[in-house]
Amino acid sequence: MIDLRSDTVTKPTEAMRKAAYQAEVGDDVYGEDPTINRLEELAAEKLGKEAALFVTSGTQGNQIAVLTHCKPADEVIMEANAHICL
């Protein structure tokens, strides 16, 4: 079973670990990681977007989302049970 409620809940299978170990890698900062480049291109295509950005965790994704809408010292108001508050 794959549990998608958190990036820390689901443990990778042996096949997933092997795929990660064998993946072609490069420096993502300089756009030189072909695996990440393909993943981002596929995500953008599937979602009908111009581009996509791979982030390593839900926390990082939440932080980026807030920072795209706010500047330093801004306040964010949300419902008490909002995922980002938990």
Side-chain angles (χ1 to χ4, degrees), residues 38-53:
R38 284 192 303 271
L39 176 64
E40 290 175 344
E41 290 166 7
L42 178 64
E45 180 185 315
K46 295 249 183 219
L47 296 171
K49 301 295 181 182
E50 182 178 324
L53 176 67

Side-chain angles (χ1 to χ4, degrees), residues 14-85:
E14 193 59 38
M16 294 164 79
R17 290 178 190 274
K18 184 177 181 182
Y21 177 77
Q22 294 176 338
E24 186 179 358
V25 296
D27 192 318
D28 185 44
V29 172
Y30 295 106
E32 298 170 348
D33 189 315
T35 302
I36 295 300
N37 293 342
R38 284 192 303 271
L39 176 64
E40 290 175 344
E41 290 166 7
L42 178 64
E45 180 185 315
K46 295 249 183 219
L47 296 171
K49 301 295 181 182
E50 182 178 324
L53 176 67
F54 173 74
V55 295
T56 57
S57 71
T59 300
Q60 185 180 24
N62 288 338
Q63 185 73 14
I64 290 170
V66 169
L67 291 172
T68 61
H69 296 286
C70 302
K71 55 188 182 299
D74 280 355
E75 291 185 25
V76 178
I77 299 172
M78 61 194 70
E79 201 273 327
N81 292 322
H83 176 76
I84 201 166
C85 291

